Amino acid sequence: MKYVLVVGAGLGGATAARILAEANYRVFIVEKLGYVGGHSHDEVNEDGILVHTYGPHIFHTKSKDLFDFLSRFTQWHYYQHRVLSYVDGMYVPFPINRDTIAQIFGIELESEMVEGFLKKEVANSTFSNPPLNFEDAVVSQIGRRLYEKFYMNYTRKQWNMEPSKLSAEVAKRIPVRFNRDGRYFSDQYQGLPLYGYTKMIERMLDHPKISVITNCDYFELRSELKPVSTFYTGRLDDFFDRMYGELEYRSLRLEFKTYQKEFFQSAGVINYPNDYDWTRITEFKYMTGQRSDLTTVCYEYPLDKGEPYYIVMDEKNMQRRALYVNEAEKLENTGEFLFIGRLAEYRYYNMDEVVGRAIEKTEEWLRRHL
Ligand code: FAD
Ligand code: UDP
């Protein structure tokens, strides 16, 4: 039988599988865990609250096409994510905006004056221009005072490295706003699948040409399989038996706690840059819109080792990545393998970027093979 093998039933694998099946390919997905969804997996906990197994997940994209594609498999709970940061004993809006500055410095500025205010903060700071690293990138936007309050210690805690060793790329994830827009993301399409990510992904995989085999590790059977092609979404270094050494990840210990009250905190996520050992606390009911007399929250404690949550964007790992990507591209050129997603491309992708990559790479493969 001719079939395509997809390794991993996260968003990347599910997207690729669906597109292949709709192009009339027989698809087998092997997933080493006992469930589908990968890092966007969610489930109802024993207290009846829908929680995200691997930490808070909010879907956001600028692309209508991508949103329309996923909307075939789910309705949405429309939600605009808001984050507060606990700084100087106050809960203030983050990313930094006009209201943050008002609360931190006790000055009321019109929106038109905020840019000038930040320019002065920057002018009073030293940094490399153009920015060479995360610290420079942030200080060049908001100055050192705000950097030290909001970014410096959070970044040390999260990455266990000096912000001057982290790539400037990471800073691009967080905007700075001159107005009063208190949302975390500015994308036009934002929300959560109404019945959860797992349900959405199960529907993506619900197709007569797709078979999902859970609890099945690709590496235990790869020599026995003869697919026309393998679409791989697991770790890039694992695929090549770590021939160039390990691509490192930061991990998290997630502590879930249920409280006998309707709400625990005043926003979906509260960041703690300077206090406590956790980086942030998530309260899922804000995001999912679920109603209950109980509430579940999740504390995130950064870890050096464990489940691969975050790629490490420092020089050593980026150089090593380039070696692996070179090997992966050689295989991709044969058409017998594709590497898709956050783990397989070793990129700090959001969910929409993973879906986008899966669509792009699978459609390109189909153009070559139909
Ligand atoms: P994964 O979801 O990791 O799927 C890969 C799958 O492959 C896994 O199921 C794995 O078990 C399986 N696999 C691996 N190796 C093998 C093997 N050998 N055999 C069989 N199966 C294998 N994105 C957003 O857009 N918004 C957010 O708010 C957001 N929050 C996040 C918060 C945290 C704490 C983290 C860690 C990530 C967050 N993300 C967020 C990113 C999001 O989780 C990822 O972009 C997305 O889930 C990656 O999908 P993927 O399919 O590439 O990989
Ligand atoms: N960051 C920070 N302070 C914050 C939030 C984020 O310094 O209050 C930095 C930190 O280095 C973090 C990065 O910005 O790792 C990206 O933040 P984001 O919220 O996008 O992280 P994720 O949701 O992927 O964990």
Coordinates of all heavy atoms in Angstrom, one line a residue, residues 85 87-88 90-122 141-143 145-147 149-151 175-182:
S85 N 1.7 42.7 34.7 CA 3.0 42.3 35.2 C 3.0 42.9 36.6 O 2.6 44.0 36.9 CB 4.1 42.9 34.3 OG 5.3 42.5 34.7
V87 N 5.0 44.6 39.2 CA 6.2 45.3 39.2 C 6.0 46.5 40.3 O 5.0 47.1 40.3 CB 6.5 46.0 37.8 CG1 7.6 47.0 37.9 CG2 6.9 44.9 36.8
D88 N 7.0 46.7 41.1 CA 7.0 47.7 42.1 C 5.7 47.6 43.0 O 5.1 48.6 43.4 CB 7.0 49.1 41.5 CG 8.3 49.4 40.8 OD1 9.3 48.7 41.0 OD2 8.4 50.4 40.1
M90 N 2.8 46.6 42.2 CA 1.6 46.9 41.5 C 1.3 45.9 40.3 O 2.3 45.4 39.8 CB 1.6 48.3 40.9 CG 1.8 49.4 41.9 SD 1.8 51.0 41.0 CE 3.5 51.0 40.4
Y91 N 0.1 45.7 40.0 CA -0.2 45.0 38.8 C -0.5 45.9 37.6 O -1.4 46.7 37.7 CB -1.5 44.1 39.0 CG -1.2 43.0 40.1 CD1 -1.6 43.2 41.4 CD2 -0.6 41.9 39.7 CE1 -1.4 42.2 42.4 CE2 -0.3 40.9 40.7 CZ -0.7 41.1 42.0 OH -0.5 40.1 42.9
V92 N 0.4 45.9 36.6 CA 0.3 46.9 35.6 C 0.3 46.2 34.2 O 0.7 45.1 34.0 CB 1.6 47.9 35.6 CG1 1.6 48.7 36.9 CG2 2.9 47.1 35.4
P93 N -0.4 46.9 33.2 CA -0.5 46.3 31.9 C 0.8 46.0 31.3 O 1.8 46.8 31.4 CB -1.2 47.4 31.1 CG -1.8 48.3 32.0 CD -0.9 48.3 33.3
F94 N 0.9 44.8 30.6 CA 2.1 44.4 29.9 C 1.6 43.8 28.6 O 0.7 43.0 28.6 CB 3.0 43.4 30.7 CG 4.3 43.1 30.0 CD1 5.4 44.0 30.2 CD2 4.4 42.0 29.2 CE1 6.6 43.7 29.5 CE2 5.6 41.8 28.5 CZ 6.7 42.6 28.7
P95 N 2.2 44.1 27.4 CA 3.4 44.9 27.1 C 3.2 46.4 27.5 O 2.1 46.9 27.7 CB 3.4 44.9 25.5 CG 2.5 43.8 25.1 CD 1.6 43.5 26.2
I96 N 4.3 47.0 27.6 CA 4.4 48.4 28.1 C 3.5 49.3 27.1 O 3.7 49.3 25.9 CB 5.8 48.9 28.2 CG1 6.5 48.2 29.4 CG2 5.9 50.4 28.4 CD1 8.0 48.3 29.5
N97 N 2.6 50.1 27.7 CA 1.8 51.0 27.0 C 1.7 52.3 27.8 O 2.3 52.5 28.9 CB 0.5 50.4 26.5 CG -0.4 50.2 27.7 OD1 -0.3 50.7 28.8 ND2 -1.5 49.4 27.5
R98 N 0.9 53.2 27.3 CA 0.7 54.5 28.0 C 0.3 54.3 29.5 O 0.7 55.0 30.4 CB -0.3 55.3 27.2 CG -0.7 56.6 27.8 CD -1.8 57.3 27.0 NE -2.7 58.1 27.8 CZ -3.7 58.7 27.3 NH1 -4.0 58.7 26.0 NH2 -4.4 59.5 28.0
D99 N -0.6 53.4 29.7 CA -1.1 53.1 31.1 C 0.0 52.6 32.0 O 0.0 52.9 33.2 CB -2.3 52.2 31.1 CG -3.5 52.9 30.4 OD1 -3.7 54.1 30.7 OD2 -4.3 52.2 29.7
T100 N 0.8 51.7 31.4 CA 1.9 51.2 32.2 C 2.8 52.3 32.7 O 3.2 52.4 33.9 CB 2.8 50.2 31.4 OG1 2.0 49.4 30.5 CG2 3.7 49.3 32.2
I101 N 3.1 53.2 31.8 CA 4.0 54.3 32.1 C 3.4 55.2 33.2 O 4.0 55.7 34.2 CB 4.4 55.1 30.9 CG1 5.3 54.2 30.0 CG2 5.1 56.5 31.2 CD1 5.5 54.7 28.6
A102 N 2.0 55.4 33.0 CA 1.3 56.3 34.0 C 1.4 55.7 35.4 O 1.7 56.3 36.4 CB -0.1 56.4 33.6
Q103 N 1.3 54.3 35.5 CA 1.3 53.7 36.8 C 2.7 53.6 37.4 O 2.9 53.9 38.6 CB 0.7 52.3 36.7 CG -0.8 52.3 36.8 CD -1.4 50.9 36.7 OE1 -1.8 50.4 35.7 NE2 -1.4 50.1 37.8
I104 N 3.6 53.3 36.6 CA 5.0 53.1 37.1 C 5.6 54.4 37.5 O 6.3 54.6 38.5 CB 5.9 52.4 36.0 CG1 5.4 50.9 35.9 CG2 7.4 52.4 36.4 CD1 5.7 50.0 37.0
F105 N 5.5 55.5 36.6 CA 6.2 56.7 36.9 C 5.2 57.8 37.5 O 5.7 58.9 37.8 CB 6.8 57.3 35.6 CG 7.9 56.4 35.1 CD1 7.7 55.7 33.9 CD2 9.1 56.2 35.8 CE1 8.7 54.9 33.4 CE2 10.1 55.3 35.4 CZ 9.9 54.7 34.1
G106 N 3.9 57.5 37.6 CA 3.0 58.4 38.2 C 2.8 59.7 37.3 O 2.6 60.8 37.9
I107 N 2.9 59.5 36.0 CA 2.7 60.7 35.1 C 1.7 60.4 34.1 O 1.7 59.3 33.5 CB 4.0 61.1 34.4 CG1 4.8 59.9 33.9 CG2 4.9 62.0 35.3 CD1 5.9 60.2 33.0
E108 N 0.8 61.3 33.8 CA -0.2 61.1 32.8 C 0.3 61.8 31.5 O 0.4 63.0 31.5 CB -1.5 61.8 33.2 CG -2.4 61.0 34.2 CD -2.9 59.6 33.6 OE1 -2.9 59.5 32.4 OE2 -3.2 58.7 34.4
L109 N 0.5 60.9 30.5 CA 0.9 61.5 29.2 C -0.2 61.3 28.2 O -0.8 60.2 28.2 CB 2.2 60.7 28.7 CG 3.4 60.8 29.6 CD1 4.5 59.8 29.1 CD2 4.0 62.2 29.6
E110 N -0.3 62.2 27.3 CA -1.2 61.9 26.1 C -0.4 60.9 25.2 O 0.8 60.9 25.2 CB -1.4 63.2 25.3 CG -2.2 64.3 26.0 CD -3.6 63.8 26.4 OE1 -4.2 63.1 25.6 OE2 -4.0 64.1 27.6
S111 N -1.2 60.2 24.4 CA -0.5 59.1 23.6 C 0.6 59.7 22.7 O 1.6 59.1 22.5 CB -1.6 58.4 22.7 OG -2.5 57.7 23.5
E112 N 0.4 61.0 22.2 CA 1.4 61.6 21.3 C 2.7 61.8 22.1 O 3.7 62.0 21.5 CB 0.9 62.9 20.7 CG -0.4 62.9 20.0 CD -1.6 62.8 20.9 OE1 -1.8 63.6 21.8 OE2 -2.4 61.8 20.8
M113 N 2.6 61.9 23.4 CA 3.8 62.2 24.2 C 4.6 61.0 24.6 O 5.7 61.1 25.1 CB 3.4 63.1 25.4 CG 2.8 64.4 25.1 SD 1.9 65.1 26.4 CE 3.2 65.4 27.6
V114 N 4.0 59.8 24.5 CA 4.6 58.6 25.0 C 5.9 58.3 24.2 O 6.9 57.9 24.8 CB 3.6 57.4 25.0 CG1 4.3 56.1 25.3 CG2 2.4 57.7 25.9
E115 N 5.8 58.4 22.9 CA 7.0 58.1 22.1 C 8.2 59.0 22.5 O 9.3 58.5 22.7 CB 6.7 58.3 20.6 CG 7.7 57.8 19.7 CD 7.4 57.9 18.2 OE1 6.3 58.5 17.9 OE2 8.2 57.5 17.4
G116 N 7.9 60.3 22.7 CA 9.0 61.2 23.1 C 9.5 60.8 24.5 O 10.7 60.9 24.7
F117 N 8.6 60.4 25.4 CA 9.0 60.0 26.7 C 10.0 58.8 26.6 O 11.1 58.8 27.2 CB 7.8 59.6 27.6 CG 8.2 59.1 28.9 CD1 8.4 60.0 30.0 CD2 8.3 57.7 29.1 CE1 8.7 59.4 31.2 CE2 8.7 57.2 30.4 CZ 8.9 58.1 31.4
L118 N 9.6 57.8 25.8 CA 10.5 56.6 25.7 C 11.8 57.0 25.0 O 12.8 56.4 25.3 CB 9.7 55.5 24.9 CG 8.6 54.9 25.7 CD1 7.8 53.9 24.9 CD2 9.1 54.2 27.0
K119 N 11.7 57.9 24.0 CA 13.0 58.3 23.3 C 14.0 58.9 24.4 O 15.2 58.7 24.3 CB 12.7 59.4 22.3 CG 12.3 58.7 20.9 CD 12.4 59.7 19.8 CE 12.0 59.0 18.5 NZ 11.3 59.9 17.6
K120 N 13.4 59.7 25.3 CA 14.3 60.2 26.4 C 14.9 59.1 27.2 O 16.1 59.2 27.6 CB 13.5 61.2 27.2 CG 13.6 62.6 26.7 CD 13.2 63.6 27.8 CE 12.6 64.9 27.1 NZ 11.3 65.3 27.7
E121 N 14.0 58.2 27.6 CA 14.5 57.0 28.4 C 15.7 56.3 27.6 O 16.7 55.9 28.2 CB 13.4 56.0 28.6 CG 12.3 56.5 29.6 CD 12.8 56.6 31.0 OE1 13.4 55.6 31.5 OE2 12.7 57.7 31.6
V122 N 15.5 56.1 26.3 CA 16.5 55.5 25.5 C 17.8 56.3 25.4 O 18.9 55.8 25.6 CB 15.9 55.2 24.1 CG1 17.0 54.6 23.2 CG2 14.8 54.2 24.2
Q141 N 14.5 50.2 22.6 CA 13.1 50.6 22.4 C 12.5 51.4 23.6 O 11.7 52.3 23.4 CB 12.2 49.3 22.3 CG 12.3 48.6 21.0 CD 11.4 47.4 21.0 OE1 11.7 46.4 21.6 NE2 10.2 47.5 20.3
I142 N 12.9 51.0 24.8 CA 12.2 51.6 26.0 C 13.2 52.1 27.0 O 12.7 52.7 28.0 CB 11.3 50.5 26.7 CG1 12.1 49.3 27.1 CG2 10.1 50.1 25.8 CD1 11.4 48.3 28.0
G143 N 14.4 52.0 26.8 CA 15.4 52.5 27.8 C 15.7 51.5 28.9 O 14.9 50.5 29.1
R145 N 15.7 51.8 32.3 CA 14.9 51.8 33.5 C 13.7 50.7 33.4 O 13.5 49.9 34.2 CB 14.3 53.1 33.9 CG 15.3 54.1 34.4 CD 14.6 55.2 35.3 NE 13.7 56.0 34.5 CZ 13.0 57.0 35.0 NH1 13.0 57.2 36.3 NH2 12.2 57.8 34.2
L146 N 13.0 50.9 32.3 CA 11.9 49.9 32.1 C 12.3 48.5 31.8 O 11.7 47.6 32.2 CB 11.0 50.5 31.0 CG 10.1 51.7 31.3 CD1 9.5 52.4 30.1 CD2 9.0 51.3 32.3
Y147 N 13.4 48.4 31.1 CA 14.0 47.1 30.8 C 14.3 46.4 32.1 O 14.0 45.2 32.3 CB 15.3 47.3 30.0 CG 16.3 46.1 30.0 CD1 16.0 45.0 29.3 CD2 17.4 46.1 30.8 CE1 16.8 43.8 29.4 CE2 18.2 45.0 30.9 CZ 18.0 43.9 30.2 OH 18.8 42.8 30.3
K149 N 13.0 46.8 35.0 CA 11.8 46.5 35.8 C 11.0 45.3 35.2 O 10.4 44.5 35.9 CB 10.8 47.7 35.9 CG 11.3 48.8 36.8 CD 10.3 50.0 36.8 CE 10.9 51.2 37.5 NZ 11.0 51.0 39.0
F150 N 10.9 45.3 33.9 CA 10.0 44.3 33.2 C 10.7 43.1 32.5 O 10.0 42.1 32.4 CB 9.1 45.1 32.2 CG 8.1 46.0 32.8 CD1 8.4 47.3 33.1 CD2 6.8 45.5 33.1 CE1 7.4 48.1 33.7 CE2 5.9 46.3 33.7 CZ 6.2 47.6 34.0
Y151 N 11.9 43.3 32.1 CA 12.5 42.3 31.2 C 13.7 41.6 31.8 O 13.8 40.4 31.6 CB 12.9 42.9 29.9 CG 11.8 43.4 28.9 CD1 11.2 44.6 29.1 CD2 11.4 42.5 27.9 CE1 10.2 45.0 28.2 CE2 10.4 42.9 27.0 CZ 9.8 44.1 27.2 OH 8.8 44.5 26.3
P175 N 5.5 43.7 21.7 CA 5.4 45.0 21.1 C 5.6 46.1 22.2 O 5.6 45.7 23.4 CB 4.0 45.1 20.6 CG 3.2 44.2 21.4 CD 4.2 43.1 21.8
V176 N 5.8 47.3 21.8 CA 5.7 48.5 22.8 C 4.7 49.4 22.2 O 4.7 49.7 21.0 CB 7.1 49.2 22.9 CG1 7.0 50.4 23.8 CG2 8.2 48.2 23.4
R177 N 3.8 49.9 23.1 CA 2.7 50.6 22.5 C 2.7 52.0 23.1 O 2.9 52.2 24.3 CB 1.3 49.9 22.8 CG 1.3 48.6 22.2 CD -0.2 48.2 21.8 NE -0.2 46.9 21.2 CZ -0.4 45.7 21.9 NH1 -0.6 45.8 23.3 NH2 -0.4 44.6 21.3
F178 N 2.4 53.0 22.3 CA 2.3 54.4 22.7 C 0.8 54.7 23.2 O 0.6 55.7 23.9 CB 2.7 55.4 21.6 CG 4.1 55.0 21.1 CD1 4.3 55.2 19.7 CD2 5.1 54.6 21.9 CE1 5.6 54.9 19.2 CE2 6.4 54.3 21.4 CZ 6.6 54.5 20.0
N179 N -0.1 53.9 22.8 CA -1.5 54.2 23.1 C -2.0 53.4 24.3 O -1.1 52.9 25.1 CB -2.4 53.9 21.9 CG -2.2 52.4 21.4 OD1 -1.8 51.6 22.2 ND2 -2.6 52.2 20.2
R180 N -3.3 53.2 24.5 CA -3.8 52.5 25.7 C -4.2 51.0 25.4 O -4.9 50.4 26.2 CB -4.9 53.3 26.3 CG -4.5 54.7 26.6 CD -5.6 55.4 27.3 NE -5.8 54.9 28.7 CZ -6.7 55.3 29.5 NH1 -7.5 56.3 29.2 NH2 -6.7 54.8 30.7
D181 N -3.8 50.5 24.2 CA -4.2 49.2 23.8 C -3.5 48.2 24.8 O -2.3 48.1 24.8 CB -3.7 48.9 22.4 CG -4.1 47.6 21.8 OD1 -4.6 46.7 22.6 OD2 -3.9 47.3 20.6
G182 N -4.3 47.5 25.6 CA -3.7 46.6 26.6 C -3.7 45.2 26.2 O -3.6 44.3 27.1

